[in-house]
Amino acid sequence: MSRTNLILYILIFIFLLTVWELKSSTDNYVRIMISSPSDISNFIFENYSSLLSATAITFLESFLGFAIATFFSFSLMFICFYFNGFMNFILPVIIISQVIPLITLAPLFIILFGVGVKSKIMMASLLCFFPIFINFANGVRLINKEIKEISIIYNASTLQKVLYIYFPLSLPNIMAGMKIASTLAVIGAIVAEFNGAEIGLGKNLFLSAKRLEPELMMSSLLLSSLLGGALYCQILLIEKKLGKWYIQ
């Protein structure tokens, strides 16, 4: 990001906050619906302990869901590498499964795993699995056929193909899938919290809508955005270390 763009973003952000503050001070409807930046900042300062606890729980659910989805996506891809033809069998099944609106399964997970963190982790991992797996699979398909043929000519083992061909050359696609999944993990955890949770940002958002508490709603939205951005930035840092050969 260039310095000019950064300064421009900061100026736009300050401008929007100023307009928001002025509008909320003159319009009761705006103040009641979305509060004001000053009131939200005061609310965060006064309730930082409970907000941090909710953020920590949602982060735990999102991170573990993302990690589980990554593990199972990679494991399934490795199975596909070792058993020829398994990809052609499993891929249509996975694609068809996406026809179901996955977010609607949140109540089912609550019934199966309870209102604790398990149901939220499962929801987050379910949303994360597809983009990671499908991008990994697509990356393997895009590898030059000549490279695959050379590996066969030199009698490379499956493990050697995975370590030196499939994974490295698919890395741009893998990281793209993980970037998408990092934000979906937060969405999955929060949606699951809507349907029943003891603590979490999703519960805060649900209660704020019922009680008409705009400060709680906006502060939870802010923390949710920061949480998704933090997970996304972590993937970017990993990509910078592993993908130096293709990052300009």
Side-chain angles (χ1 to χ4, degrees):
M1 182 187 297
S2 66
R3 182 177 297 179
T4 303
N5 287 342
L6 179 59
I7 294 174
L8 183 59
Y9 291 148
I10 294 174
L11 291 176
I12 293 174
F13 180 71
I14 294 174
F15 172 76
L16 292 176
L17 285 181
T18 304
V19 172
W20 182 6
E21 183 69 34
L22 292 175
K23 186 66 175 176
S24 63
S25 64
T26 58
D27 192 328
N28 288 331
Y29 180 80
V30 173
R31 182 174 56 82
I32 292 173
M33 290 295 103
I34 58 174
S35 188
S36 66
S38 57
D39 289 339
I40 294 169
S41 60
N42 290 333
F43 179 85
I44 293 175
F45 179 76
E46 294 171 359
N47 300 274
Y48 70 92
S49 179
S50 60
L51 289 173
L52 284 178
S53 298
T55 304
I57 292 297
T58 304
F59 172 77
L60 177 65
E61 295 163 352
S62 305
F63 177 78
L64 291 179
F66 177 82
I68 291 172
T70 302
F71 173 78
F72 278 102
S73 298
F74 280 39
S75 299
L76 188 57
M77 280 302 303
F78 291 153
I79 292 173
C80 294
F81 294 146
Y82 278 93
F83 297 95
N84 295 328
F86 186 68
M87 173 65 76
N88 295 330
F89 169 77
I90 196 65
L91 190 58
V93 176
I94 294 175
I95 293 174
I96 291 174
S97 69
Q98 299 304 301
V99 175
I100 304 172
L102 299 181
I103 291 178
T104 62
L105 297 178
L108 176 62
F109 287 143
I110 297 295
I111 294 173
L112 293 176
F113 302 104
V115 295
V117 297
K118 289 183 180 179
S119 57
K120 285 68 178 178
I121 293 172
M122 292 302 297
M123 188 69 209
S125 62
L126 185 64
L127 286 181
C128 292
F129 172 79
F130 182 75
I132 298 175
F133 177 81
I134 204 68
N135 276 277
F136 196 164
N138 191 47
V140 173
R141 287 173 179 261
L142 292 175
I143 295 175
N144 196 306
K145 292 183 179 180
E146 295 179 355
I147 297 177
K148 296 179 181 179
E149 291 172 355
I150 290 174
S151 67
I152 295 173
I153 292 172
Y154 282 94
N155 197 29
S157 65
T158 302
L159 181 59
Q160 289 173 326
K161 292 177 184 178
V162 171
L163 294 178
Y164 301 111
I165 298 176
Y166 297 147
F167 185 80
L169 297 183
S170 301
L171 189 60
N173 296 77
I174 295 172
M175 300 311 299
M178 294 180 73
K179 289 175 190 175
I180 297 170
S182 64
T183 55
L184 289 177
V186 179
I187 294 173
I190 289 176
V191 168
E193 289 172 350
F194 281 164
N195 292 273
E198 298 173 355
I199 186 175
L201 294 176
K203 181 181 180 180
N204 288 351
L205 290 169
F206 178 76
L207 292 177
S208 65
K210 291 189 66 176
R211 299 174 181 174
L212 198 60
E213 298 180 7
E215 289 82 13
L216 178 60
M217 177 184 67
M218 297 305 296
S219 60
S220 298
L221 281 175
L222 174 62
L223 292 171
S224 300
S225 301
L226 292 176
L227 186 57
L231 287 175
Y232 184 87
C233 288
Q234 290 300 313
I235 303 302
L236 286 180
L237 292 176
I238 295 173
E239 185 178 26
K240 284 185 178 181
K241 290 186 175 294
L242 298 180
K244 293 180 180 179
W245 59 273
Y246 68 86
I247 296 177
Q248 299 296 330

